Amino acid sequence: AQSVTQLDSHVSVSEGTPVLLRCNYSSSYSPSLFWYVQHPNKGLQLLLKYTSAATLVKGINGFEAEFKKSETSFHLTKPSAHMSDAAEYFCVVSALGRLYFGRGTQLTVWP
Amino acid sequence: GAVVSQHPSWVICKSGTSVKIECRSLDFQATTMFWYRQFPKQSLMLMATSNEGSKATYEQGVEKDKFLINHASLTLSTLTVTSAHPEDSSFYICSASRPGGGETQYFGPGTRLLVL
């Protein structure tokens, strides 16, 4: 069975400080993992994806995520938050052609 | 590349009427298209998966006679909410996957439906 757990429903950071959004997954298969971002009333934009190549994946807008099989984690990080990063972030596992979504983490960035 | 559009972005309708939402892949031919529903402050719920020229596969609990999906071409899928009721009000998002793209799905901007 596949499942995704996003450990924090809300994360608040100050502009210029690091961002950490946590995600743990469970999968019966070798998973493909994704992070998507959703701004209010918008669709989802792909930030990055892991597909069994390098375990450290770099995405758009300065985000990156590290796949750790031993910890079944795929945490999303960014060294320095920007106001425009405020949004909802979804960690997603793909298996057998369908996506399994985490419940989302709302990121707030304070000036 | 990999742009997906939806139309309309907003729709308000009266209870009992039907509403059609279009999903288009603009710069690629989509092997498969997906329809999701998202309630406020919640994650996406997969409603159905459709492949061009074949019947859609609906998730458990999704009424196929209420949510009609037509996948007429490799770049267009439509979702029709028939006899809409206020409880159908939601944010509907489509996505598409493309040949050689693996399991990556590219999402449309969503359609906000309000049924009065």
Side-chain angles (χ1 to χ4, degrees):
Chain A
Q2 281 60 240
S3 68
V4 180
T5 302
Q6 290 184 243
L7 298 162
D8 307 291
S9 58
H10 289 86
V11 170
S12 294
V13 300
S14 297
E15 190 174 23
T17 64
V19 176
L20 170 63
L21 305 183
R22 298 183 293 166
C23 172
N24 287 95
Y25 70 92
S26 172
S27 178
S28 305
Y29 308 91
S30 296
S32 293
L33 294 159
F34 306 81
W35 277 97
Y36 285 89
V37 60
Q38 184 180 32
H39 289 91
N41 295 308
K42 302 290 186 182
L44 276 68
Q45 180 184 18
L46 179 65
L47 277 179
L48 50 81
K49 63 180 179 181
Y50 165 78
T51 54
S52 75
T55 56
L56 182 62
V57 182
K58 293 188 183 299
I60 63 172
N61 301 335
F63 285 95
E64 63 181 37
E66 186 172 8
F67 174 71
K68 292 187 176 180
K69 186 175 181 179
S70 61
E71 299 177 9
T72 61
S73 69
F74 190 57
H75 301 335
L76 181 71
T77 60
K78 182 174 180 177
S80 177
H82 192 273
M83 295 294 291
S84 60
D85 295 328
E88 187 86 16
Y89 291 79
F90 292 97
C91 180
V92 180
V93 168
S94 178
L96 299 179
R98 63 168 293 172
L99 301 184
Y100 298 84
F101 287 80
R103 297 192 62 165
T105 298
Q106 179 69 46
L107 175 65
T108 299
V109 182
W110 301 102
Chain B
V3 178
V4 177
S5 71
Q6 278 183 246
H7 178 80
S9 56
W10 270 93
V11 58
I12 302 173
C13 70
K14 293 181 179 180
S15 186
T17 60
S18 295
V19 174
K20 180 184 285 187
I21 302 170
E22 291 186 350
C23 176
R24 294 181 184 272
S25 55
L26 297 184
D27 52 0
F28 66 100
Q29 292 186 327
T31 49
T32 305
M33 287 185 164
F34 305 82
W35 286 96
Y36 294 86
R37 184 173 180 177
Q38 186 180 31
F39 291 102
K41 305 293 185 184
Q42 295 190 25
S43 189
L44 278 68
M45 180 189 78
L46 179 65
M47 299 174 67
T49 302
S50 74
N51 293 287
E52 184 264 340
S54 60
K55 289 185 179 180
T57 301
Y58 289 82
E59 294 297 298
Q60 191 173 9
V62 178
E63 298 175 61
K64 62 181 181 181
D65 294 329
K66 181 168 187 60
F67 298 100
L68 300 179
I69 292 173
N70 183 281
H71 196 155
S73 75
L74 285 171
T75 59
L76 173 64
S77 176
T78 60
L79 168 68
T80 301
V81 183
T82 62
S83 186
H85 287 93
E87 57 265 31
D88 299 324
S89 299
S90 191
F91 195 50
Y92 293 88
I93 306 176
C94 73
S95 70
S97 60
R98 64 180 183 182
E103 295 173 299
T104 303
Q105 292 181 23
Y106 299 93
F107 286 82
T111 296
R112 175 75 59 192
L113 170 63
L114 177 61
V115 184
L116 301 177

